[in-house]
Amino acid sequence: MLELRLVQGSLLKKVLESIKELVNDANFDCSSTGFSLQAMDSSHVALVALLLRSEGFEHYRCDRNLSMGMNLNNMAKMLKCAGNDDIITIKADDGSDTVTFMFESPTQDKISDFEMKLMDIDSEHLGIPEAEYDAIVRMPSAEFARICKDLSSIGDTVVISVTKEGVKFSTKGDIGAANIVCRQNTTVDKPDDATVIEMKEPVSLQFALRYTNFFTKATPLSSTVTISLSNELPVVVEYKIAEMGYVRFYLAPKIEE
Amino acid sequence: DPKQGNILSFFKKK
């Protein structure tokens, strides 16, 4: 028996909107730790890791570990039917081939339930090694989204370079080239508006903008984004989910042949 | 042009 009650149901709606274009089908894993997911896109270029910790739910009952295969597009369709202020409860019985999403309006005058068919998905978990990153950039998530969008109108790939000067996003295309440099800036009114750069080693990596643009669909989840880079490792683009956990996107770099 | 890397060459199956 599984019953997870999330008062801020809009968080789950935003999570689905942030990953449904990158991943088609995925297993949601439920354990005493929380509600989580790890999945790759169909070309195995990017990986998404989601964690919603059990403490973040108003009620969290998970009698035994359960893995539920879902089509994310279909799940997003159902969650779109929940109001932004609704409380969402996820329910499943042991051995059932369906999951139920229950939506309660804040005043309890409208209660809906949507039953979705589960699917069998063969997926193996990947071990993500703990890494010490050469550079970690924290910046406003809207700024990162803007940069990815702007650069993708010029080129297909972005080179992200961190030096002591700041973080530089560069692209080249048929019509020309573009460079955007963001310097560390902590003298802001709101801490979330800061750009903070921690650098151990200079790093420069090239990525496909098609994927970074998928990641920025998570912008509504968090006002800041953390980009962790090491030479010759996948970049980690992390959006924290207030009080609950995170969505992390890992993207394999482009490699010189 | 640089070649697109693959996640499976960085992270191994458990």
Side-chain angles (χ1 to χ4, degrees):
Chain A
M1 169 85 183
L2 172 106
E3 199 169 277
L4 319 180
R5 189 169 199 262
L6 182 61
V7 174
Q8 209 181 336
S10 60
L11 285 182
L12 193 62
K13 287 164 66 81
K14 289 176 188 170
V15 164
L16 261 291
E17 289 306 307
S18 76
I19 59 178
K20 68 169 190 188
E21 283 170 63
L22 188 65
V23 176
N24 297 326
D25 306 316
N27 282 318
F28 280 87
D29 299 312
C30 199
S31 73
S32 55
T33 312
F35 193 59
S36 65
L37 168 151
Q38 190 200 81
M40 280 182 285
D41 77 296
S42 57
S43 343
H44 299 166
V45 169
L47 179 142
V48 54
L50 161 74
L51 175 64
L52 297 174
R53 290 186 198 93
S54 51
E55 302 85 66
F57 291 83
E58 189 213 37
H59 170 71
Y60 192 93
R61 179 176 171 189
C62 174
D63 296 343
R64 60 189 181 88
N65 290 0
L66 197 63
S67 190
M68 295 183 290
M70 303 196 208
N71 174 285
L72 298 190
N73 223 3
N74 293 346
M75 185 177 173
K77 274 184 201 168
M78 294 205 168
L79 293 180
K80 268 197 176 166
C81 303
N84 279 330
D85 300 327
D86 282 3
I87 298 165
I88 299 182
T89 303
I90 304 168
K91 290 190 209 180
D93 289 319
D94 287 344
S96 169
D97 58 358
T98 60
V99 60
T100 298
F101 303 109
M102 187 174 85
F103 312 141
E104 297 167 66
S105 67
T107 48
Q108 303 284 316
D109 52 0
K110 181 180 171 193
I111 296 171
S112 325
D113 60 83
F114 286 70
E115 188 181 276
M116 190 177 81
K117 289 174 190 163
L118 295 175
M119 52 199 295
D120 282 324
I121 300 167
D122 266 339
S123 77
E124 285 176 275
H125 272 254
L126 301 183
I128 301 168
E130 287 288 322
E132 286 270 319
Y133 285 93
D134 292 337
I136 299 174
V137 177
R138 180 168 69 79
M139 64 192 297
S141 58
E143 185 61 56
F144 179 63
R146 173 74 197 262
I147 290 169
C148 292
K149 180 171 164 279
D150 287 350
L151 293 186
S152 60
S153 65
I154 314 289
D156 296 331
T157 64
V158 58
V159 175
I160 307 179
S161 313
V162 184
T163 63
K164 57 181 192 299
E165 309 302 321
V167 55
K168 184 166 81 169
F169 302 88
S170 310
T171 193
K172 272 186 205 154
D174 293 341
I175 63 167
N179 295 293
I180 300 170
V181 177
C182 298
R183 294 205 172 88
Q184 171 147 298
N185 174 15
T186 52
T187 57
V188 288
D189 292 339
K190 287 184 283 176
D192 285 358
D193 291 339
T195 298
V196 182
I197 299 168
E198 291 169 39
M199 188 197 81
K200 290 191 191 114
E201 299 285 337
V203 50
S204 184
L205 287 160
Q206 189 173 164
F207 301 101
L209 281 164
R210 174 180 145 75
Y211 286 91
T212 60
N213 274 320
F214 281 140
F215 304 165
T216 60
K217 306 280 180 202
T219 305
L221 279 170
S222 178
S223 54
T224 64
V225 61
T226 305
I227 305 160
S228 302
L229 301 132
S230 273
N231 286 308
E232 295 172 24
L233 271 186
V235 62
V236 191
V237 179
E238 179 183 75
Y239 295 85
K240 286 210 160 49
I241 303 171
E243 318 287 315
M244 285 206 81
Y246 54 77
V247 181
R248 289 181 188 150
F249 298 100
Y250 296 83
L251 176 59
K254 297 236 174 191
I255 298 160
E256 294 291 344
E257 286 189 273
Chain B
D1 279 355
K3 197 177 145 206
Q4 176 60 58
N6 187 309
I7 281 289
L8 292 170
S9 59
F10 296 98
F11 302 151
K12 299 296 170 205
K13 286 180 180 169
K14 274 186 184 169

